Amino acid sequence: MSERELVALVCCDLGAIVRGRSLFASELAPALATGVGWVPANHALTPLGPVADGNPFGSTGDLRLLPDPDTRVRVEAGGGDGMTALELLLCDIVETDGSPWECCPRRFLRTALRELKDELGAGLLASFEHEFQLLDASPPALGFSLEAQRRGEPFATRAMVALTEAGVEPERIFPEYSSHQFEIPVAAAEGVASADRAVVLREVVREVARREGTRASFSPLLDPAQAGNGVHIHLSAIDEHGEPLFHDASRPGCLSETGERFAAGILAHARALNALTAPSPVSAVRLQPHRWSAGAVCLARRNREALLRIPPLVELGGGDPARQLRLEYRGADASANPYLALGALVRAGLDGVRSGLPAPEILERDPSELEGADAERFGVGALPRSLEEAMGALEEDETARLWMGPLLHDAYASVKRAEIEAARGVEVEELCARYGAIY
Ligand code: GLU
Ligand code: MG
């Protein structure tokens, strides 16, 4: 790259906004060692713009954004006049002596992964499957249709090429059910790299869309009358030899005892997890029953209304079921910081294993057919109905509340409080428009 190109050193903040500072490429080598300046209160910026009132940082303190050289991403210049290359590196947020800052989201995830390693001897494989919509006023083509796919050109091909070059390993792109909606599943990666991929995917897709003169919105819900944009997080664990830990062909759903307990932990903490995985004022509207998002807090195999799903194991073409077995958490969206969401899921799963929770019953029916005690047993409509309720659930869950240290917790709560206040009394359509413009 030319010395007079800019490189962005960035982090993903508590509201899942990517922020940072750019420098000339010629200055990158020293910055890899020293980082660039950063301010604690940047982590109290809300996605609405202003700094959150009552945040724990105030105007004091200095930090560094320390680039992780393994995360370097480049999208070549092109696509319209004057579009320069996008070059970025993801950063850890550290103190000025290089020690980790207690509110750094990558550190939050690393701590959870270390616990998984220490207690289960396990590594985590994860992938984030994203949906998004191109903001396009023209009448949409039919969901999943070839017509919709072709109208998405050249954006779709360019996005897949750019994501591949960025190391995200996209597997497919296809038109989804809602207007101008697409989905991009990606290959699983180990540990922090999987969440890095989520951050990079969003920014690369936005960049490619920008170059096509449009905007890609990952907001959880653009139109209350339509399906929303989910981020489904696929999870599995491997032992130190790389052997899968969640598969056991002799058990229901082919889920091993460890896998069952991990799933049970996620379900047990589902309401608190919601505050970290779907944390915008429009998120709860997407998660209502009959939107094929997560209308029931239960485990299922073939049911897209369940919060946790075991996707199909495909033996066709010689596929290995043991390596395919994973848990799909359907309750996340792109207003969630991927490191916080994944770290919290790992903590919840680990708590299930640690407590030896019994295997969750696998739902085999459409949850909308359930009534009374059955509906309650399978958690139909049991997720919080608002961000306020989700934050309350986090406070009430004594285990989950301690996942974040006090400073991170207070900063996060201040940001979410500001969003809750700003949303009070606002119609859902207007909230959808507001958040559609942010994410
Ligand atoms: N759009 C749905 C959601 O909000 C997901 C549909 C699907 O991919 O199964 O999560
Ligand atoms: Mg989908």
Side-chain angles (χ1 to χ4, degrees):
M1 69 184 301
S2 128
E3 297 213 322
R4 285 292 174 251
E5 280 182 2
L6 292 179
V7 184
L9 307 185
V10 297
C11 63
C12 183
D13 78 4
L14 302 184
I17 304 296
V18 171
R19 308 190 200 246
R21 298 182 177 188
S22 294
L23 39 69
F24 279 128
S26 52
E27 301 300 317
L28 181 60
L32 287 174
T34 63
V36 292
W38 202 238
V39 177
N42 285 351
H43 240 38
L45 288 166
T46 67
L48 303 170
V51 178
D53 277 343
N55 76 73
F57 304 125
S59 56
T60 57
D62 282 290
L63 301 162
R64 307 296 287 177
L65 285 181
L66 189 65
D68 177 343
D70 293 339
T71 63
R72 193 161 175 168
V73 164
R74 183 175 172 86
V75 180
E76 287 301 339
D81 280 350
M83 283 313 271
T84 53
L86 165 68
E87 180 118 8
L88 65 82
L89 285 94
L90 301 177
C91 300
D92 286 310
I93 312 174
V94 299
E95 304 280 359
T96 48
D97 66 1
S99 58
W101 185 45
E102 60 184 296
C103 299
C104 171
R106 287 180 104 219
R107 176 181 187 246
F108 177 82
L109 175 54
R110 259 190 220 111
T111 308
L113 293 171
R114 198 171 315 117
E115 279 185 25
L116 188 70
K117 179 65 93 206
D118 289 348
E119 292 185 37
L120 294 188
L124 181 82
L125 290 178
S127 77
F128 290 67
E129 167 196 326
H130 282 83
E131 294 171 330
F132 58 92
Q133 283 165 276
L134 295 178
L135 300 186
D136 179 340
S138 67
L142 295 172
F144 307 98
S145 68
L146 182 60
E147 174 71 19
Q149 181 76 51
R150 294 303 299 165
R151 279 199 217 165
E153 287 299 322
F155 162 81
T157 298
R158 289 182 179 161
M160 290 296 274
V161 170
L163 289 168
T164 302
E165 287 171 2
V168 173
E169 290 193 77
E171 292 176 326
R172 316 262 185 276
I173 183 165
F174 55 89
E176 252 279 358
Y177 193 52
S178 283
S179 302
H180 309 291
Q181 188 182 35
F182 288 89
E183 172 173 326
I184 304 184
V186 306
E190 199 169 343
V192 175
S194 65
D196 288 341
R197 281 185 179 182
V199 176
V200 169
L201 181 139
R202 295 172 196 177
E203 295 311 317
V204 168
V205 165
R206 287 179 177 127
E207 173 74 14
V208 175
R210 200 181 288 129
R211 290 175 184 198
E212 302 299 326
T214 180
R215 209 176 91 76
S217 177
F218 289 80
S219 182
L221 194 66
L222 288 182
D223 178 352
Q226 293 197 2
N229 296 304
V231 176
H232 300 179
I233 305 179
H234 296 255
L235 306 154
S236 61
I238 46 172
D239 68 15
E240 65 263 34
H241 309 293
E243 294 304 318
L245 284 173
F246 283 179
H247 181 264
D248 182 343
S250 69
R251 301 179 73 87
C254 294
L255 196 55
S256 69
E257 192 174 50
T258 305
E260 287 171 348
R261 290 177 172 165
F262 197 90
I266 290 174
L267 295 177
H269 294 293
R271 285 174 53 80
L273 279 170
N274 186 248
L276 291 161
T277 62
S280 83
V282 291
S283 297
V285 191
R286 168 184 158 254
L287 293 171
Q288 294 307 306
H290 310 303
R291 287 185 181 275
W292 287 28
S293 54
V297 178
C298 63
L299 176 65
R301 259 190 293 199
R302 297 205 162 72
N303 202 311
R304 291 177 178 77
E305 282 281 304
L307 180 64
L308 267 187
R309 190 175 80 108
I310 305 170
L313 305 176
V314 183
E315 284 115 2
L316 193 69
D320 176 3
R323 296 210 172 269
Q324 292 171 36
L325 194 293
R326 59 199 193 274
L327 294 169
E328 178 187 17
Y329 177 83
R330 301 173 62 83
D333 66 48
S335 65
N337 176 302
Y339 306 102
L340 298 186
L342 189 57
L345 284 166
V346 169
R347 284 277 175 77
L350 203 48
D351 188 54
V353 177
R354 201 181 283 141
S355 316
L357 291 185
E361 194 175 342
I362 298 181
L363 174 74
E364 299 286 7
R365 292 172 54 194
D366 181 345
S368 64
E369 291 168 6
L370 302 178
E371 283 178 2
D374 282 340
E376 203 178 319
R377 203 165 86 248
F378 286 105
V380 177
L383 284 177
R385 291 181 172 263
S386 66
L387 178 55
E388 192 165 21
E389 200 181 317
M391 290 304 289
L394 180 62
E395 298 308 319
E396 279 162 26
D397 184 328
E398 281 173 20
T399 306
R401 208 181 46 225
L402 297 176
W403 292 337
M404 295 195 271
L407 195 62
L408 177 55
H409 170 275
D410 291 354
Y412 191 76
S414 71
V415 169
K416 293 299 143 188
R417 216 166 33 235
E419 291 186 77
I420 291 166
E421 288 311 321
R424 220 178 275 294
V426 181
E427 294 293 331
V428 68
E429 287 77 11
E430 197 184 325
L431 285 178
C432 286
R434 182 183 291 174
Y435 278 83
I438 296 169
Y439 293 108

